[in-house]
Amino acid sequence: MQCLILAGGLGSRMRPWTEAVPKALLPVAGRSFADWQLDWLAAGGVDRVVYSVGHLGDAIEDHVGDGRRWGVDVRYVKEGAVLRGTAGAIRLAAEHGVLDDTFFVLYGDSYLCVDPRAVAAAFVAAGRPALMTVYHNRGSWDTSNVRYRDGVVELYDKAGTGPDQLEYIDYGLMILARRVIEEALEPGASGDLAPVLHSLSRRRQLAGFEVTQRFFEIGSPGGLTELEHYLRARGDPPGPSS
């Protein structure tokens, strides 16, 4: 299984730390965040990773290397000085010829408690070109932005500010068929993934997989602290990069 990690952002909410260190390498419970994320992916059966990098991307490549410490093959796609947005970054990876016909997409600041193999099986069973993992959030951890029912995301509204009553939230892991991005964006184009997912949901082409355990993220100081508490309480043994 292949996963594209979107790790090109500036990490603005984590300044001043991200002025010198990319968000993916921020220390969390004694290790770089990327180490925790790759541990989880490798344990879940992901054997190929593509990093989409931008801000301080060379530091990520220097730290992670070719991925052999995790038994994962890692490649890199560099956005350059001008960031392309989440959909644009995926389109660039497609243009570089490094994406499979279907692949996971993971945000570079997300740490999740779900088995990727179960998500992949649900994607195959759904028979749709995209799948989003969702959590019954009810506004608890962030603004809910999904209406989900019976294995289908009926509506994805990134801002969650429309008139619809939304109780679920995008959990942070999805699967896309490469053609979804190739049809939505021209080569070299920039753009956000949210409108693509919104359109898919309106056409009932976005499957859903409900996760029952909360997500963690390091996009904010509070989120990083919560993840540290979770990992320390879990008592994981040192990983391959420790």
Side-chain angles (χ1 to χ4, degrees):
M1 295 189 294
Q2 183 186 58
C3 181
L4 172 66
I5 300 179
L6 296 170
L10 299 175
S12 302
R13 290 187 294 165
M14 296 301 287
R15 290 174 177 163
W17 300 291
T18 49
E19 291 174 359
V21 178
K23 190 163 51 174
L25 298 186
L26 288 174
V28 182
R31 304 173 65 199
S32 293
F33 178 70
D35 299 345
W36 294 108
Q37 203 175 47
L38 289 168
D39 277 355
W40 165 66
L41 288 171
V46 173
D47 56 3
R48 285 160 293 125
V49 167
V50 177
Y51 269 100
S52 174
V53 297
H55 175 63
L56 300 175
D58 288 344
I60 298 174
E61 187 170 359
D62 289 343
H63 178 80
V64 174
D66 60 8
R68 69 178 64 185
R69 285 177 290 173
W70 293 270
V72 173
D73 176 71
V74 177
R75 301 185 183 189
Y76 301 86
V77 176
K78 300 180 180 180
E79 292 187 63
V82 179
L83 299 183
R84 297 168 178 258
T86 48
I90 301 171
R91 188 65 171 93
L92 181 64
E95 291 165 35
H96 280 239
V98 296
L99 293 181
D100 292 351
D101 289 341
T102 60
F103 52 92
F104 287 100
V105 178
L106 173 68
Y107 300 115
D109 59 3
S110 294
Y111 186 84
L112 308 177
C113 304
V114 62
D115 186 344
R117 287 165 294 210
V119 179
F123 171 76
V124 172
R128 289 174 168 84
L131 179 143
M132 174 186 287
T133 54
V134 299
Y135 176 69
H136 201 182
N137 182 58
R138 300 184 184 92
S140 298
W141 304 109
D142 206 337
T143 303
S144 297
N145 54 24
V146 169
R147 185 170 69 236
Y148 166 78
R149 184 182 304 162
D150 298 330
V152 178
V153 173
E154 296 180 335
L155 176 65
Y156 173 69
D157 172 13
K158 181 180 179 179
T161 56
D164 296 273
Q165 185 66 33
L166 305 176
E167 292 191 351
Y168 286 82
I169 193 170
D170 173 9
Y171 190 71
L173 180 71
M174 66 192 73
I175 299 180
L176 295 178
R178 190 180 66 243
R179 64 177 175 84
V180 167
I181 293 296
E182 292 174 337
E183 292 170 1
L185 275 78
E186 295 292 331
S190 299
D192 192 67
L193 193 53
V196 179
L197 297 173
H198 175 78
S199 176
L200 286 168
S201 71
R202 285 298 195 189
R203 292 183 280 122
R204 298 187 63 84
Q205 291 298 296
L206 183 57
F209 180 91
E210 183 174 0
V211 184
T212 57
Q213 188 170 349
R214 65 155 294 187
F215 57 90
F216 294 89
E217 51 79 24
I218 62 160
S220 65
L224 190 152
T225 298
E226 288 181 341
L227 177 58
E228 281 199 321
H229 289 166
Y230 169 76
L231 293 171
R232 293 188 188 280
R234 199 173 65 178
D236 285 37
S241 57
S242 299

